[in-house]
Amino acid sequence: MQRSAVPRRRADRRSVTPDMATDYDAPRKTEEELKEDSIEELKARRNEKSSGTVDEDETEAAEGFELPGADLSGEEFTVRVLPRQADEFTCTRCFLVHHRSQLAMTDEVGPVCSECAA
C-alpha cells in the first residue's frame, strides 16, 4: 500500500460554525417593525387583548353541519343480521366474528383472532 504524498488535513471542529439558514423569500422588517416586536410591546399587546377562548356550544355547532347533497332524514335502513355460522367464531379480545381461518389460538378465556394475537 502506498500512502499519498499529500498530508491529510484534520478538521478543527472548534473553528467550524454552522451557518444559519436564511429564508430569502421572507419579507424584510423595518426598524419600526422590529421595535413593535420587542418583548415589552408583545407583553403590552397580550394584556390588552381579551381571552382567546371561544364559548361555543358543541350541539349547536353540530346542528348546522350537513353533508353536501345528502338528506337522509326520511330514509330507513334495514339490515339483515345473520347468526354466527358453524365455521365462524367470536374473538374474546375484540368481540368480532371471524372466519375460522383467522383463528390464531385459544387461550384460557376462549378463541383469539390472528389480529389480536399479533
Side-chain angles (χ1 to χ4, degrees):
M1 268 189 165
Q2 290 183 341
R3 293 192 176 194
S4 64
V6 179
R8 291 185 189 175
R9 292 185 182 176
R10 296 184 76 185
D12 187 9
R13 293 181 187 211
R14 288 174 282 156
S15 66
V16 177
T17 57
D19 293 329
M20 296 300 294
T22 304
D23 184 8
Y24 292 104
D25 294 330
R28 306 286 188 251
K29 292 187 177 185
T30 63
E31 290 289 326
E32 189 174 313
E33 290 173 334
L34 289 174
K35 260 196 252 180
E36 289 176 0
D37 289 343
S38 68
I39 296 291
E40 291 79 22
E41 182 69 28
L42 292 173
K43 285 180 183 177
R45 278 194 227 161
R46 182 179 63 188
N47 292 336
E48 290 172 5
K49 291 184 180 177
S50 62
S51 173
T53 59
V54 177
D55 296 331
E56 183 177 344
D57 187 16
E58 293 177 5
T59 55
E60 192 174 301
E63 286 175 3
F65 182 74
E66 293 183 19
L67 294 174
D71 181 21
L72 302 176
S73 59
E75 295 293 322
E76 289 186 26
F77 298 106
T78 56
V79 178
R80 189 170 153 227
V81 179
L82 297 175
R84 187 178 69 218
Q85 303 297 307
D87 61 345
E88 294 176 332
F89 70 96
T90 303
C91 177
T92 55
R93 294 188 185 169
C94 66
F95 304 105
L96 294 176
V97 177
H98 296 280
H99 188 264
R100 70 173 171 222
S101 64
Q102 294 181 341
L103 179 65
M105 64 180 185
T106 303
D107 60 5
E108 62 275 353
V109 180
V112 178
C113 70
S114 57
E115 291 180 14
C116 292

